[in-house]
Amino acid sequence: MRDKLVIVATLVAAVITGTAAGAVVNTPEQSFWAQIRYGASAGDGDYLFDSLADVTPGASDSAAFKAAAALVQGTIVDIEPGIAFASDDSDGSSAIVAYDSEDAAIRYASLVVRVDKVLAGQLGQGYADGKIRLQVEHPATSTLAELKDSIGTAGTGLMYVHNLAARRQLIGRPVTDPAQLAYAQSVHVPIGEGLFVEESAGSPVVAPLMDGERAAQLLGYTYVPEDETEPTPTSTCDHDLCPQPTGKPDATATSVPAGGSETAPTTTTAPTLSTLRTRLVASACAEGTAADSSAC
């Protein structure tokens, strides 16, 4: 009788363990970008550029907007703590606090990006060992550990970037605080929220830092809202990083000659990474900043 009780207890334990394990296995992994977007603040909608041609390295100033320093193709391999501030003031005067401090009003994490290829322009300071660190706002809704756990879903992307210290110098707002300067020299920022990611091979790109309608306008497809309300995307704008229409044409299906009438996009699907790369390299060729002239 005792042996039978032991066998029953063992079977019950096995069933419970199996059920728990099944729950873990069957729980879908939340994507990296879904976590980055969730709960983040919305941009103010003041756009300083009208097309990705304005962001291309070498492009002339469009109103108050200055082009990116480089266009890279890179794979996101890690996320690290970056910097935290006691207030969310964007003028850089807020005090730095510990990244995990309760006094932190805003945190910026660093995406570690393996640079697979520089497609246009040049990378300067902050580019080491084939990697750059890209500043993104760390949403309060996810821990750094949770973001690290999902980093395998972040994917490969095309990124318009600029070293933060160099960017601030370029726009006439240099970083003077020594601690902030050391940080700014070590990271890049996505210019015009220009980060376009292929989460899985062959899938259409997503623009996780942009509003859905804005991404569709820039990438040349018709925006179709999702049935369920989607969390508002993050804003990493820093004055000149938030776009505004300027009328400068882009090398896309939605571009038109001066004085022409715009042709509506004919697809509801964003381009693939390879298709978008061809388009963006063509813009760099037009500016004479393509890293590989044979691609022009």
Side-chain angles (χ1 to χ4, degrees), residues 15-296:
V15 170
I16 293 173
T17 304
T19 302
V24 172
V25 170
N26 294 327
T27 301
E29 182 182 26
Q30 188 176 19
S31 79
F32 177 79
W33 293 113
Q35 294 182 78
I36 287 289
R37 292 169 65 102
Y38 185 79
S41 59
D44 59 11
D46 291 330
Y47 295 135
L48 295 174
F49 67 93
D50 186 47
S51 73
L52 295 180
D54 294 326
V55 195
T56 300
S60 57
D61 292 356
S62 175
F65 184 80
K66 296 182 184 295
L71 168 65
V72 303
Q73 180 167 321
T75 301
I76 298 156
V77 295
D78 200 0
I79 185 168
E80 300 172 343
I83 198 168
F85 295 98
S87 76
D88 58 2
D89 294 338
S90 60
D91 62 1
S93 61
S94 179
I96 298 175
V97 296
Y99 196 78
D100 57 355
S101 171
E102 293 182 357
D103 296 327
I106 190 167
R107 297 177 176 87
Y108 292 103
S110 296
L111 294 183
V112 182
V113 179
R114 184 188 71 226
V115 177
D116 301 319
K117 190 171 185 178
V118 178
L119 299 174
Q122 293 182 331
L123 291 171
Q125 57 187 348
Y127 177 40
D129 300 323
K131 298 183 180 71
I132 58 173
R133 281 162 173 77
L134 196 64
Q135 177 183 276
V136 294
E137 185 177 340
H138 183 163
T141 47
S142 294
T143 66
L144 196 65
E146 289 170 334
L147 293 172
K148 275 181 172 290
D149 285 345
S150 63
I151 201 70
T153 68
T156 293
L158 298 168
M159 311 169 191
Y160 285 108
V161 300
H162 211 136
N163 174 265
L164 178 55
R167 185 72 177 184
R168 291 287 297 272
Q169 186 72 37
L170 179 66
I171 64 176
R173 297 171 54 218
V175 180
T176 56
D177 177 78
Q180 291 195 35
L181 180 59
Y183 165 76
Q185 290 172 334
S186 70
V187 299
H188 286 69
V189 286
I191 302 305
E193 299 178 332
L195 195 160
F196 308 101
V197 178
E198 178 186 63
E199 294 179 280
S200 59
S203 63
V205 298
V206 296
L209 304 183
M210 287 186 185
D211 171 82
E213 287 187 88
R214 175 62 169 166
Q217 181 246 322
L218 291 173
L219 295 176
Y221 63 94
T222 303
Y223 175 65
V224 179
E226 295 184 8
D227 293 334
E228 296 182 2
T229 302
E230 183 176 333
T232 305
T234 187
S235 171
T236 54
C237 307
D238 187 8
H239 293 279
D240 73 320
L241 307 187
C242 298
Q244 171 174 312
T246 62
K248 184 173 180 178
D250 191 11
T252 176
T254 58
S255 296
V256 293
S261 59
E262 183 171 302
T263 302
T266 57
T267 177
T268 58
T269 306
T272 62
L273 193 72
S274 59
T275 301
L276 182 59
R277 181 175 57 237
T278 298
R279 170 186 156 191
L280 301 188
V281 168
S283 290
C285 288
E287 299 294 349
T289 56
D292 181 3
S293 59
S294 66
C296 298

